[in-house]
Amino acid sequence: MTRTVFTGGSVFDGTGADPAPADVVVEHGRIVDVGTDLDGDEGVDCTGTVLLPGLFDCHVHVTISDIGLLSRVQKPFSYQFYEAARNLWATLGLGITTVRDAAGADLGIKQAVDDGLIPGPRLQISIGLISPTGGHGDAWNPSGLCVPLMVPHPGRPETTVDGPDEMRRVARTLLRAGADVLKVCTTGGVLSPRDDPRHSQFTPEELDVLVTEAAMQGRPVMAHAQGAAGIKNAVRAGARSIEHGIYLDDEAIELMLGHGTWLVPTLIAPVNVVRAADAGVDLPPAVVAKAREVVEAHRDSVRRAYAAGVRIAMGTDSGVGPHGTNLEELALMAACGMPPGDVLEATTSSAARLMGLDGELGRLEPGLRADVVVVAGNPYDFPALAANIREVWKDGIRVV
C-alpha cells in the first residue's frame, strides 16, 4: 500500500492549538505519523497551506433543499434522493467529511455513501423528527392540509407521537429503521407556524421513555430545544445535545454544565430563514416574524454558554439554508466570542466527541482515519475558508 506524505505545510491538529509546521504520513487509510522531515512513497506538496482534520457538521438535513411551501408540493417524491446526492457532494467540497443528519436521510442514503455509490461525507442519521401533535414537526396547516418537510415512507416512518406508549413505539421503530441518534422536539420552532419556540413540548415522562429506549440500544438523543423550559426538560431527561438553544437562561446553562450536555448552536439557521423571506420565498408571516425575532437572542445565548464553559459542536441546519454554505457558521461562532482555534476545535475534535467518533476522527494524529483538508492561506480567515479549500481527503483517498 502506498505511503503518502503531506509535506511543506503546517498542521492544525484539532486540539485548538495554533497551526505548526509538520508533515503528515498516511497509509492504509490511516494517519501513521505526524512530525517534521518525514518521507513516503508519494508526496503531496502542501507548501503555503495548512492541513486540517476532516471537518464536521453536526446538524444537517440532506434531503431538504428549500423551505418554501409551494416548491415542496410540486416536487416528485423521489426527487429528494437525487437532491440529497447533490447536497452531500456540495458539503464534501467544503472539507466536511462527517455529518449528523437531523431528520430526513434514511438508511439507504447512508449506505449509498458507505458503499461508494455516491460521494459524500459519512453520515449519522436520525431518520425522523419526533414531535407531538401540534408540535414543531406536525405538518398540519390551518387549511387542514398537511405538508411535511419530510414525507413518511418505508425507510422514514411517521414520527408524530402523544404519550409514553407511543413514544416508546416510535423510538423502537426508528431504531429498527437504522437511526444512529434519535431526534426529538422539546419546544416549538421557527419554521412551524402554529407554535412558539419558547413553549415546551413533551412531558418529562415522555422524554424519559425516549432516552431510556435510546440508551438501551446504545444510542443518544438530540433535542431540538429553543425555549429555556424545554431545554431544561431535555437536559434533565439525559439528551446528549441541545440543538439551537435560542433562549438559554442561567439555570439551563448550569444544568448543561452539570450534565455535560452539548450545544449545537446552528446560528446561521434563523439568518437563512430571513434571507429566504427577503429573497421572496413563500413563507408564512408568522415564520418570518419569529426568525427575525430570535437572531439576537440566539447569539446572546451562545455567547453566555461559551463563556460559562458549555461544550459546543458546530452545526448549521443546512437544508433550512443552502447546502454548500455550511462554513458561514464559523464566522458567527467567532462573533459570539469564541477564539478561532476554539471554533475549529468545535468543528473537528469536539464534534467528533459529541458524535462518539473521537477514537477515529477529528484530529490529525497517528492511528486515526486519514481525513485531511488542505487549506490555502489562513484557516482562521473564516469568511474566505470555503474558497481556500484546495484538497479534501477522506480515509486517505483524495475526494475533492
Side-chain angles (χ1 to χ4, degrees):
M1 190 71 174
T2 301
R3 180 180 167 96
T4 302
V5 57
F6 296 78
T7 63
S10 295
V11 169
F12 176 87
D13 63 6
T15 66
D18 288 335
D23 302 332
V24 175
V25 180
V26 171
E27 190 174 13
H28 299 294
R30 296 271 173 176
I31 298 169
V32 295
D33 205 355
V34 179
T36 56
D37 299 320
L38 303 179
D39 57 16
D41 304 312
E42 293 183 356
V44 179
D45 183 4
C46 297
T47 303
T49 70
V50 177
L51 306 183
L52 309 180
L55 306 179
F56 283 69
D57 189 331
C58 298
H59 192 126
V60 300
H61 299 278
V62 302
T63 61
I64 299 172
S65 299
D66 53 66
I67 54 177
L69 183 65
L70 186 60
S71 62
R72 274 187 278 145
V73 301
Q74 291 180 326
K75 290 178 181 178
F77 171 77
S78 59
Y79 193 80
Q80 63 186 296
F81 300 104
Y82 298 95
E83 287 186 301
R86 179 195 64 192
N87 296 336
L88 287 163
W89 174 246
T91 305
L92 187 64
L94 297 173
I96 296 171
T97 57
T98 307
V99 299
R100 187 175 60 160
D101 190 88
D106 65 0
L107 187 58
I109 293 174
K110 176 181 177 177
Q111 188 170 330
V113 174
D114 289 346
D115 291 348
L117 291 181
I118 56 174
R122 61 183 65 80
L123 288 124
Q124 286 188 356
I125 56 173
S126 59
I127 299 178
L129 177 63
I130 303 173
S131 167
T133 298
H136 179 58
D138 188 340
W140 184 87
N141 285 276
S143 64
L145 297 175
C146 289
V147 186
L149 274 170
M150 294 159 283
V151 177
H153 66 81
R156 188 170 64 206
E158 169 63 46
T159 52
T160 302
V161 306
D162 297 295
D165 289 341
E166 288 188 10
M167 179 70 84
R168 181 175 293 108
R169 177 186 57 80
V170 164
R172 291 175 178 177
T173 302
L174 288 168
L175 291 166
R176 180 182 67 185
D180 300 300
V181 55
L182 296 181
K183 167 85 176 289
V184 65
C185 296
T186 67
T187 71
V190 169
L191 284 181
S192 40
R194 303 294 295 175
D195 60 15
D196 189 308
R198 293 163 292 194
H199 293 169
S200 298
Q201 297 174 1
F202 287 126
T203 65
E205 182 183 11
E206 290 169 313
L207 296 175
D208 287 343
V209 167
L210 175 65
V211 173
T212 297
E213 289 295 330
M216 287 194 299
Q217 303 300 322
R219 300 290 191 261
V221 170
M222 57 189 297
H224 162 102
Q226 299 185 354
I231 291 169
K232 287 180 271 194
N233 286 341
V235 173
R236 292 187 181 109
R240 183 161 175 80
S241 64
I242 298 298
E243 312 296 308
H244 315 304
I246 289 172
Y247 293 108
L248 288 167
D249 63 16
D250 291 343
E251 183 185 15
I253 290 172
E254 287 302 315
L255 278 171
M256 292 180 73
L257 289 169
H259 285 76
T261 312
W262 292 80
L263 175 63
V264 180
T266 70
L267 289 156
I268 194 65
V271 174
N272 276 326
V273 176
V274 172
R275 288 175 178 172
D278 290 344
V281 174
D282 181 25
L283 295 171
V287 167
V288 179
K290 284 189 288 184
R292 296 189 192 281
E293 178 183 338
V294 304
V295 169
E296 194 49 51
H298 197 181
R299 293 173 180 175
D300 180 64
S301 287
V302 176
R303 287 187 197 102
R304 291 186 292 106
Y306 172 75
V310 171
R311 301 190 293 184
I312 293 176
M314 195 280 264
T316 62
D317 218 358
S318 289
V320 172
H323 295 272
T325 64
N326 312 53
L327 298 183
E328 289 187 11
E329 180 75 12
L330 276 59
L332 295 179
M333 295 167 73
C336 289
M338 296 181 67
D342 287 3
V343 172
L344 284 183
E345 183 178 6
T347 312
T348 54
S349 62
S350 288
R353 287 175 59 204
L354 165 62
M355 292 176 59
L357 298 173
D358 48 314
E360 290 284 303
L361 295 160
R363 301 181 310 282
L364 294 180
E365 67 177 49
L368 300 193
R369 295 167 76 161
D371 284 16
V372 181
V373 183
V374 182
V375 178
N378 180 6
Y380 293 164
D381 182 3
F382 297 138
L385 183 56
N388 287 338
I389 303 294
R390 198 176 89 180
E391 296 181 12
V392 181
W393 295 65
K394 180 184 173 190
D395 287 327
I397 299 171
R398 182 163 51 196
V399 291
V400 176

